[in-house]
Amino acid sequence: MGLMPDIYTFNTLIDGYGKAELLDQSVSVFQEMKNAGCVPNVITYNALINCFCKFERMPQAFGFVCEMNDKGFKPNAGLKMNVITYTCLLDGLCEAGKMKDAEVLFKEALQNGITPNLGTYTALVHDSLFLDILRLRSLDQRVEQRKNEGSIIIQIYRLENNRESDNLQRLKHPDGSCDKD
């Protein structure tokens, strides 16, 4: 006589596999859950969406959002996308550098009555700052490269000037006077 897993067991397995980057196993457990007649809830979908976002598989994450909406988990229905759902998606979009998409989604969340929490703002600020840091590092590398290129040009210029100076020195007499030929 075996025990049947309940929604808590399935959600825990889905979340655990997802965090271990075993996304295929997460989806298998999700399918097994539905086959067993256990109805997924917003926590189930959030676990899947979060894991797929964390591992930069945004199309699949949004696929779960579509499935969630198709099943009646619409923003204004009984079970709905919540601040966690939106935060996971925003974090994933920001991590992928899709700041414009994140901005559109953030506005949608606000229009759907979602109140952002600290996690939401942290995802937006942290990820956008991270992108700014990457951009600055890239810019810094380009400046450094240009500086090195510039220093090579400066070195060539100095070598040329030294040659001219040496030639000028050869024209001078030991007493410092110039040849008047």
Side-chain angles (χ1 to χ4, degrees):
M1 184 186 320
L3 293 175
M4 283 300 295
D6 61 7
I7 194 159
Y8 302 107
T9 306
F10 282 119
N11 286 348
T12 301
L13 289 170
I14 290 168
D15 189 52
Y17 279 130
K19 286 179 179 173
E21 202 173 349
L22 300 170
L23 303 180
D24 291 337
Q25 284 87 336
S26 278
V27 173
S28 292
V29 170
F30 180 62
Q31 292 304 324
E32 184 181 327
M33 174 186 194
K34 293 191 295 187
N35 293 341
C38 190
V39 179
N41 61 16
V42 71
I43 296 167
T44 310
Y45 282 99
N46 283 348
L48 288 163
I49 291 166
N50 183 49
C51 293
F52 278 85
C53 287
K54 291 285 182 215
F55 297 104
E56 299 177 13
R57 292 179 54 185
M58 295 307 295
Q60 293 91 336
F62 278 101
F64 288 114
V65 171
C66 289
E67 182 176 330
M68 198 172 165
N69 287 333
D70 290 344
K71 301 281 184 202
F73 292 83
K74 299 197 185 304
N76 295 323
L79 286 172
K80 60 183 180 178
M81 291 173 56
N82 59 21
V83 68
I84 295 168
T85 314
Y86 280 104
T87 299
C88 293
L89 293 168
L90 289 167
D91 189 43
L93 288 170
C94 291
E95 285 282 337
K98 298 179 184 247
M99 298 307 289
K100 293 284 184 198
D101 293 338
E103 183 180 345
V104 169
L105 186 67
F106 183 68
K107 287 177 182 176
E108 176 189 306
L110 295 175
Q111 288 170 350
N112 287 326
I114 301 296
T115 303
N117 63 16
L118 182 60
T120 310
Y121 289 118
T122 301
L124 290 171
V125 170
H126 174 263
D127 291 335
S128 62
L129 286 177
F130 178 72
L131 288 173
D132 287 344
I133 289 168
L134 288 179
R135 282 189 208 108
L136 287 173
R137 283 186 183 161
S138 175
L139 178 63
D140 189 44
Q141 287 171 348
R142 286 184 289 194
V143 166
E144 202 55 42
Q145 182 181 6
R146 299 276 187 213
K147 194 163 74 174
N148 289 338
E149 288 171 4
S151 65
I152 289 170
I153 292 168
I154 290 169
Q155 288 173 8
I156 292 169
Y157 175 77
R158 285 182 182 155
L159 284 173
E160 288 300 316
N161 280 341
N162 285 343
R163 278 191 204 140
E164 288 178 17
S165 178
D166 288 346
N167 289 339
L168 186 61
Q169 287 298 329
R170 275 189 239 128
L171 294 175
K172 289 186 178 181
H173 290 280
D175 65 358
S177 65
C178 294
D179 254 345
K180 295 189 179 177
D181 295 327

